[in-house]
């Protein structure tokens, strides 16, 4: 009997390297290669380019297995397929792999004309890139297409541009598409003939890690992803990511222009996980949203069933709160619009419960207004507590801190040239050390919850942000708007309901020290909704480049100071500021 560790070694001897190119997609049966792997097996892929199965490569129930790609490239053939689907694994290590999509999950081109009166442009698509079908909605939770605006001469996002939504895409001639913008869209005057743009919408995740623990990705490069490049949900541990790169791949066949983006959403998004990740020496570049996002779920109190249990809901079925929570976990009740913690209890049990969807569908839609809610995915939970939550009424929300990917380390990682923020951290008990941020549309680091809109928890505590280098961030328009709530290159914040909500200092025990901030449209450091914050030995220069003071005005956060402290308590010492 051939040992599992030798299966692909034997296969490698059977093929010459040229037979493993993408032109021969059936040369290697990757799904068969993992079938029956025993704990501790080492699976070695032969070098070359290997087509993935049509539905992606499913890695389920593997224990202590190592998959070594030896530099191989795995090609997914559809933007509706997740390339690697890791589910129920323990101690799985994947190393020395590259992942790409063919056809690409986005398209790009040059602006051929601009019609300001109708709010439309035409885009002549670059040779070798897909047609507009690559940006068409797949009918998922996020249905809208997005446009990214790049400089015509350099592969950088155009400074000052907002985030662009797309209302419709229509053919307008050979390899030309007409793009119509929503009525609310601003920044159309910044689009000029000759600018380069990308068109994309969100489809399948690139790499999915679910219901697993101690998964390690090492020396893995992701050249493209139809959505988030790497997502982890409902895991015991957030995993280890060492020298993982999310960067644009080489031009496709027939192309003369370089790729402009990598992933169509975040680089790495980890949520509803009991232990945070270790992220070291990684690179996130040109993705269409944040580099790293750590958070937990907010759940609403729909109604009280009895004195110690209430009905709640989530609009998707893959968070598995009933699995990831433990008896004794703290649940904290939050009262809008400030999301003040108004009570706490311990969880006895969370269990799925059948409930008619129709009576609650309007409430679910208003709670998660950014989603196209699918009634078949709505999941109801009965939450049982150890004691009565006195004074907590139906209509509020809760957070469960134990499931917010806390206890994380992010160090020696480089984020550059992308939309969104660098690190978007809604977790606690973490270290953010010696990272670099350059040319980002949003802020470099935000600490604190997205209570409204995204409904991502929670309040952040016990964090150290030290020795990071931040240059030329806040380059987009959105961070400068009156409704902005991240008005510093490093922002301690809470996204509460619209307007200047009453302050609640839910973020606490945070240290910002030894950071270099050189170049930002808004403040260097912004602190709100926090207490016991120490700001020491930071060097700040070339900030508040937009001197209008409009950023954050609608939320009562407007400032022209290099370090802003509003509705918060912080101590400052030995900072070098203008």
């Amino acid at each position: 009997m051939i040992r599992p560790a030798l299966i692909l070694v034997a296969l490698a001897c059977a093929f010459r390297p040229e037979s493993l190119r993408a032109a021969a997609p059936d040369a290697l049966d990757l799904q068969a290669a993992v079938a029956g792997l025993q704990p501790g097996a080492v699976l070695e892929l032969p070098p070359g380019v290997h087509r993935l199965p049509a539905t992606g490569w499913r890695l389920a129930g593997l224990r202590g297995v190592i998959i070594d790609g030896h530099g191989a490239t795995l090609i997914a053939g559809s933007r509706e397929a997740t390339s690697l689907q890791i589910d129920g694994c323990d101690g799985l290590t994947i190393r020395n792999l590259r992942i790409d999509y063919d056809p690409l999950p986005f398209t790009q081109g040059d602006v051929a004309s601009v019609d300001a009166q109708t709010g439309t442009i035409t885009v002549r698509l670059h040779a070798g890139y897909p047609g507009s079908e690559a940006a068409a909605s797949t009918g998922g939770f996020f249905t809208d297409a997005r446009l990214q605006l790049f400089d015509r001469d350099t592969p950088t996002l155009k400074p000052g541009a907002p985030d662009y939504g797309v209302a419709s895409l229509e053919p307008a001639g050979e390899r030309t598409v007409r793009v119509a913008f929503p009525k609310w869209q601003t920044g159309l005057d910044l689009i000029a003939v000759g600018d380069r743009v990308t068109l994309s919408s969100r489809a399948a995740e690139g790499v999915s890690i679910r219901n697993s623990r101690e998964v390690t990705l090492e020396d893995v490069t992701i050249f493209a992803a139809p959505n988030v490049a790497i997502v982890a949900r409902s895991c015991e541990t957030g995993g280890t990511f060492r020298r993982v790169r999310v960067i644009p791949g080489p031009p496709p066949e027939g192309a003369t222009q370089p790729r402009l983006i990598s992933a169509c959403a975040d680089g790495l998004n980890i949520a509803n996980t009991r232990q945070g990740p270790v992220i070291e020496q990684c690179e996130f570049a040109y993705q269409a949203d944040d580099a790293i996002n750590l958070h937990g779920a907010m759940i609403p109190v729909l109604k009280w069933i009895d004195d110690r249990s209430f009905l709640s809901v989530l609009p998707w079925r893959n968070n598995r709160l009933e699995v990831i929570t433990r008896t004794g976990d703290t649940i904290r009740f939050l009262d809008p619009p400030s999301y003040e913690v108004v009570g706490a209890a311990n969880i006895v049990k969370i269990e799925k419960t059948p409930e008619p969807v129709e009576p609650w569908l309007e409430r679910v839609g208003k709670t998660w207004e950014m989603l196209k809610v699918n009634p078949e995915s709505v999941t109801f939970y009965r939450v049982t507590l150890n004691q009565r939550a006195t004074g907590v009424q139906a209509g509020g929300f809760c957070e469960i801190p134990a499931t917010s990917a806390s206890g994380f380390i992010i160090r020696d990682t480089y984020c550059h040239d992308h939309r969104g923020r660098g690190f978007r951290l809604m977790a606690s008990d973490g270290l953010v050390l010696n990272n670099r941020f350059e040319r980002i549309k949003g802020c470099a680091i935000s600490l604190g919850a997205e209570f409204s809109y995204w409904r991502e928890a929670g309040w952040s505590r016990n964090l150290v942000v030290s020795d990071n280098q931040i240059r030329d961030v806040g380059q987009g328009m959105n961070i400068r708007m009156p409704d902005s709530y991240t008005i510093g290159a490093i922002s301690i914040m809470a996204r509460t309901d619209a307007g200047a909500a009453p302050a609640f200092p839910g973020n606490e025990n945070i240290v910002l020290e030894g950071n270099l901030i050189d170049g930002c449209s808004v403040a260097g450091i912004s602190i709100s909704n926090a207490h016991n914050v120490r700001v020491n030995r930071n060097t700040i220069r070339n900030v508040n480049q937009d001197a209008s003071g409009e950023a954050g005005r609608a939320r009562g956060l407007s400032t022209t100071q290099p370090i802003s402290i509003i509705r918060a308590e912080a101590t400052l010492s030995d900072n070098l500021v203008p």
Side-chain angles (χ1 to χ4, degrees), residues 66-86:
I66 297 174
I67 298 177
D68 193 329
H70 293 289
T73 299
L74 304 182
I75 304 291
S78 168
R79 68 191 187 107
E80 297 185 50
T82 295
S83 63
L84 302 185
Q85 302 155 26
I86 300 166

Side-chain angles (χ1 to χ4, degrees), residues 243-274:
R243 295 182 299 279
V244 170
R245 306 176 74 202
V246 178
I247 59 174
E253 184 177 354
T256 58
Q257 294 286 333
R259 295 194 208 183
L260 293 175
I261 61 172
S262 53
C264 293
D266 295 347
L268 175 60
N269 188 304
I270 299 175
N272 307 323
T273 292
R274 294 193 66 84

Side-chain angles (χ1 to χ4, degrees), residues 19 84 94 99 155 176 222 232 274 278 336 425 443 532:
S19 69
L84 302 185
I94 299 175
I99 297 171
T176 302
I222 298 175
R274 294 193 66 84
V278 175
L425 308 177
C443 67
N532 195 20

Side-chain angles (χ1 to χ4, degrees), residues 2-12 28-47 57-59 62-72 74 84 92-97:
I2 298 177
R3 292 182 180 274
L6 301 178
I7 290 177
L8 286 203
V9 173
L11 283 171
L28 193 58
D29 189 339
L30 291 169
Q31 200 59 62
V34 297
L37 283 180
Q38 298 301 308
V42 179
L43 189 63
E44 299 190 69
L45 303 185
W57 194 12
R58 181 167 171 77
L59 306 173
L62 302 179
R63 300 287 185 268
V65 167
I66 297 174
I67 298 177
D68 193 329
H70 293 289
L74 304 182
L84 302 185
L92 171 66
T93 296
I94 299 175
R95 60 168 65 119
N96 303 320
L97 267 182

Side-chain angles (χ1 to χ4, degrees), residues 24 78 130 155 186 189 208 251 259 379 507:
S78 168
T186 60
D189 57 317
S208 171
R259 295 194 208 183
T379 305
N507 301 305

Side-chain angles (χ1 to χ4, degrees), residues 144-149 157-166 181-182 184-188 190-191 198 202 287-290 418-421 440-442 453-454 475-481 485 495:
D144 56 334
R146 292 283 173 173
L147 179 146
Q148 305 271 11
L149 181 62
L157 290 161
K158 198 167 188 179
D163 296 338
Y164 292 98
V166 173
F181 295 99
W184 51 259
Q185 185 65 64
T186 60
L188 299 184
L190 297 173
I191 303 176
T198 61
R202 299 183 181 189
Q287 73 276 1
D289 212 336
D290 311 318
H418 62 80
R419 177 188 171 268
R421 305 171 216 175
I440 296 173
K441 289 186 73 173
Y453 194 71
W454 289 111
Q475 293 198 321
M477 180 185 293
N478 293 56
I479 194 173
R480 313 176 194 185
M481 299 297 287
Y485 51 94
R495 188 175 187 179

Side-chain angles (χ1 to χ4, degrees), residues 349-370:
K349 181 167 58 173
I350 295 182
E351 55 192 329
K352 289 183 179 178
T353 185
E355 186 77 18
V357 175
E358 188 60 34
W360 299 106
L361 198 56
E362 182 179 359
R363 169 77 189 275
V364 173
K366 288 182 178 179
T367 301
W368 287 276
E369 60 183 324
M370 84 300 292

